[in-house]
């Protein structure tokens, strides 16, 4: 199993540009989520999905869109990038249905918005 | 808003010593989890303790939870250079279990060989 994969690893954008951060998992996990990590802030939940076709907002959803058309993929879209979105983005997945289920994190995407 | 706050923010100890880091949180929780993050990498789940548990062990890790004080501690015994990393606590207060983790700000642990 590859686990949770994210692409790209690093991206530089100009203000106003759009892009999609890709996340895929091959563990057949129902639950997937996106976090951003900023210095001194820990990780903050952006959006999450409990299954294909179902998404919901986390703590900091503004400026981001998600969709979940398949179990495997959960892309994160920035429609108009802003410098405040400079961060490291992590995707995670887990099986649903139990609080004991471990979340598995991807290696992260480092985004710089100029 | 941040749910968890780790203390200390940074900790340096000699290899072989024990490392203790603490986490405080604000609301009632279902469980509390600890994660490790090596520099430039993703997070790795270490241990989960449920709200009705007071102590849990996993190898060299010992976690305690005091729900009356809304605090938890992570003890790493007999530290090794490979334990150098940032450690985060995360709390789950969701209705359906483990869906909305709220992370603390982390403790950066450095083990000096």
């Amino acid at each position: 199993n590859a686990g949770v994969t994210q692409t790209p690893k690093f991206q530089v954008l100009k203000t106003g540009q759009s892009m999609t951060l890709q996340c895929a998992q091959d563990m057949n996990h129902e639950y997937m989520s996106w976090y951003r990590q900023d210095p001194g802030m820990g990780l903050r939940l952006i959006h999450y999905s409990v299954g294909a076709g179902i998404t919901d907002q986390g703590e900091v959803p503004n400026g981001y869109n998600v969709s979940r058309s398949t179990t495997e993929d959960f892309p994160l879209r920035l429609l108009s990038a802003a410098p405040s979105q400079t961060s490291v983005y992590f995707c995670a997945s887990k099986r649903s249905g139990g609080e004991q289920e471990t979340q598995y994190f991807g290696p992260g995407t480092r985004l710089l918005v100029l | 808003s941040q749910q968890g706050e780790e203390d200390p923010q940074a900790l340096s100890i000699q290899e072989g010593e024990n490392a203790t880091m603490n986490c405080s949180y604000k609301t009632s929780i279902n469980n509390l989890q600890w994660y490790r993050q090596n520099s430039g990498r993703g997070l790795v789940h270490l241990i989960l303790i449920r709200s009705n548990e007071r102590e849990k062990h996993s190898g060299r890790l010992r976690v305690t939870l005091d729900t009356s004080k809304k605090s938890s501690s992570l003890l790493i015994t007999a530290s090794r250079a490979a334990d150098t990393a940032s450690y985060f606590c995360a709390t789950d207060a969701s209705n359906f279990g483990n869906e909305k983790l709220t992370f603390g700000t982390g403790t950066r642990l450095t083990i000096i060989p």
Side-chain angles (χ1 to χ4, degrees):
Chain A
N1 285 349
V4 180
T5 59
Q6 292 183 237
T7 57
K9 292 183 179 179
F10 182 72
Q11 182 73 45
V12 179
L13 291 179
K14 294 181 179 179
T15 297
Q17 286 185 317
S18 63
M19 79 160 294
T20 299
L21 281 66
Q22 302 291 345
C23 174
Q25 51 90 11
D26 61 358
M27 298 173 281
N28 202 31
H29 286 169
E30 299 91 348
Y31 176 86
M32 298 184 74
S33 57
W34 277 101
Y35 293 85
R36 59 178 288 173
Q37 184 177 31
D38 301 298
M41 295 288 291
L43 276 76
R44 290 182 292 170
L45 182 64
I46 304 172
H47 285 284
Y48 68 98
S49 168
V50 298
I54 305 170
T55 64
D56 205 348
Q57 295 180 350
E59 181 185 355
V60 287
N62 293 341
Y64 307 94
N65 281 349
V66 293
S67 60
R68 185 91 179 274
S69 56
T70 67
T71 299
E72 295 78 17
D73 301 298
F74 190 43
L76 179 72
R77 298 184 189 84
L78 283 71
L79 298 179
S80 179
S84 61
Q85 294 178 304
T86 293
S87 189
V88 182
Y89 292 85
F90 290 98
C91 179
S93 75
K94 74 171 188 73
R95 291 189 298 180
S96 286
E99 63 181 20
Q100 300 281 358
E101 297 295 340
T102 299
Q103 292 215 28
Y104 294 87
F105 282 81
T109 293
R110 201 171 287 271
L111 177 66
L112 175 62
V113 182
L114 302 175
Chain B
S1 62
Q2 292 297 125
Q3 164 76 307
E5 294 286 337
E6 279 94 338
D7 170 57
Q9 290 187 345
L11 177 64
S12 292
I13 61 173
Q14 295 288 333
E15 192 169 18
E17 293 181 339
N18 297 340
T20 300
M21 52 204 87
N22 304 296
C23 168
S24 60
Y25 57 92
K26 299 175 184 175
T27 66
S28 296
I29 60 173
N30 298 319
N31 64 66
L32 185 145
Q33 305 173 33
W34 285 90
Y35 287 81
R36 184 186 75 230
Q37 183 180 36
N38 291 90
S39 180
R41 311 290 288 273
L43 277 74
V44 175
H45 182 266
L46 295 176
I47 195 167
L48 179 152
I49 186 165
R50 301 176 69 177
S51 59
N52 62 354
E53 297 176 313
R54 292 297 167 258
E55 187 171 314
K56 204 163 184 179
H57 297 256
S58 177
R60 294 183 296 113
L61 305 180
R62 172 177 170 258
V63 170
T64 62
L65 179 64
D66 187 335
T67 53
S68 66
K69 295 181 179 179
K70 293 186 170 56
S71 67
S72 173
S73 67
L74 171 67
L75 168 67
I76 303 174
T77 61
S79 63
R80 305 168 182 170
D83 294 329
T84 293
S86 292
Y87 292 82
F88 295 88
C89 67
T91 53
D92 167 37
S94 61
N95 293 327
F96 300 103
N98 209 10
E99 290 179 349
K100 287 189 175 182
L101 290 183
T102 304
F103 284 81
T105 52
T107 292
R108 186 182 300 273
L109 176 65
T110 302
I111 308 300
I112 304 168

